Amino acid sequence: MKKVILGLSALCMVAFTSCKEDAASKIKSENVAIAADRDANAGDFPVIAFDKTEHDFGTIANGTPVETTFTYTNTGNSMLVVSNIKSTCGCTVPSNWTKEVAPGQKGEFAVKFNGKGNGNKVSKSITMTTNTEKGTEIVKISAFVEKDPNAPAKAAVPTQNAGSATINPLSTATQKTSTQPGHEGHNHN
């Protein structure tokens, strides 16, 4: 049995050694050069630089549409690809973006904002899906939206101090009186 195991082990060693030598002879030097060039450029992502990353529209009337444009430059060494741009809500609509930007070139996209509010500051984020190292880039818009003059006024809610009771003057309290002998005049609440 030992001789059979030794024989099989020797046969396996010969087979593995011959496969290793055969695989090394099949490698083409031109493929090695192409792979080395590819690997050298693998970390060479496009880099996006914005003219601004935030835009404040200031004070706007409720429901008034406003628009701004964000401009970006590819400061990297490879093609910048912008595959999608989306906002956090439907009142902010990004559109008309440059999908491919060569190194050193500029691209842009417009953002339309139809602000609705109740006399408050509104901020929205716009996310770009890109082939940069991070994969996404974010810009922001904001505005103070004036209160809608036609909005119905909210009814004032009376406040109650802690520890105080509210008494309803229209309610009538019922008192229980006893009719049992010996309990006359005693109220049992």
Side-chain angles (χ1 to χ4, degrees):
M1 184 69 168
K2 287 183 181 179
K3 289 182 182 181
V4 172
I5 292 175
L6 273 156
L8 285 175
S9 298
L11 182 63
C12 288
M13 286 179 52
V14 170
F16 288 130
T17 307
S18 65
C19 288
K20 186 176 179 182
E21 290 171 13
D22 191 41
S25 66
K26 292 181 179 179
I27 295 175
K28 295 182 181 177
S29 60
E30 62 209 39
N31 289 346
V32 173
I34 292 170
D37 189 35
R38 180 198 64 222
D39 292 345
N41 292 327
D44 200 11
F45 292 100
V47 179
I48 192 167
F50 291 95
D51 65 334
K52 60 185 175 185
T53 56
E54 294 185 26
H55 180 81
D56 188 352
F57 289 107
T59 301
I60 62 172
N62 192 351
T64 302
V66 290
E67 185 175 337
T68 189
T69 300
F70 286 92
T71 303
Y72 48 94
T73 304
N74 180 359
T75 59
N77 294 323
S78 59
M79 181 69 77
L80 171 66
V81 178
V82 181
S83 58
N84 193 18
I85 301 179
K86 63 182 178 179
S87 68
T88 52
C89 79
C91 63
T92 308
V93 182
S95 62
N96 301 327
W97 71 85
T98 310
K99 295 186 182 194
E100 292 186 357
V101 181
Q105 299 298 309
K106 292 183 182 238
E108 65 182 20
F109 67 94
V111 176
K112 295 178 183 176
F113 175 63
N114 188 5
K116 301 241 185 229
N118 196 17
N120 56 356
K121 182 86 169 177
V122 178
S123 297
K124 303 293 177 185
S125 295
I126 296 98
T127 303
M128 301 173 67
T129 304
T130 64
N131 64 334
T132 58
E133 190 169 6
K134 289 193 306 185
T136 58
E137 304 293 332
I138 297 175
V139 296
K140 296 180 180 186
I141 61 167
S142 62
F144 183 84
V145 182
E146 293 177 337
K147 186 176 181 178
D148 184 358
N150 299 322
K154 291 184 179 179
V157 178
T159 58
Q160 181 177 345
N161 295 333
S164 67
T166 303
I167 300 172
N168 184 350
L170 300 177
S171 70
T172 55
T174 57
Q175 289 191 350
K176 298 178 184 177
T177 57
S178 177
T179 57
Q180 292 182 352
H183 289 257
E184 297 84 30
H186 293 96
N187 294 329
H188 298 277
N189 292 335

